[in-house]
Amino acid sequence: MRDKIKEWLKIIIAAIVIAGAVSIFVQPVLVDGSSMFPTLKDKDYLIVNKLMYKLDEPEREDIIVAEIIEIVQLEQ
C-alpha cells in the first residue's frame, strides 16, 4: 500500500513539473477581434510558442501575438 502511494506521488509530482515546464514555453491564446480576418477569425484559438523568438527573429508570414497592457491614470 505504501509503495503504491509513493508511486502515485512520483507520478503526480512529475506531471506538475512537466505541466509547469510546458507552460513556460507554450501558451494558448484566444483571438479577440477580426483584425487578422480571413487568416484568423474572432474567437479562434492559437497555441503560441514563447521560446521561438528568444532564439531567432520573426520571419515573413509569422503571426506575432502582442499582449495588451492597460495603463491606469491616477487622478492628480
Side-chain angles (χ1 to χ4, degrees):
M1 180 71 170
R2 213 175 250 268
D3 289 337
K4 282 195 173 205
I5 293 173
K6 284 184 180 180
E7 188 174 328
W8 275 103
L9 282 174
K10 286 180 185 178
I11 291 170
I12 291 170
I13 291 171
I16 291 171
V17 168
I18 291 170
V22 167
S23 70
I24 292 172
F25 304 117
V26 177
Q27 176 182 359
V29 174
L30 178 65
V31 175
D32 183 24
S34 60
S35 64
M36 287 290 294
F37 184 80
T39 305
L40 299 173
K41 298 173 183 71
D42 192 30
K43 306 292 188 239
D44 277 353
Y45 279 98
L46 302 175
I47 302 297
V48 177
N49 179 350
K50 297 192 291 187
L51 180 63
M52 183 64 192
Y53 297 119
K54 293 182 190 245
L55 302 175
D56 198 10
E57 293 290 317
E59 296 178 6
R60 185 179 176 98
E61 298 181 3
D62 281 354
I63 295 174
I64 299 173
V65 177
E67 203 171 323
I68 297 173
I69 300 172
E70 290 185 33
I71 298 175
V72 178
Q73 292 183 343
L74 301 176
E75 292 183 31
Q76 293 181 351

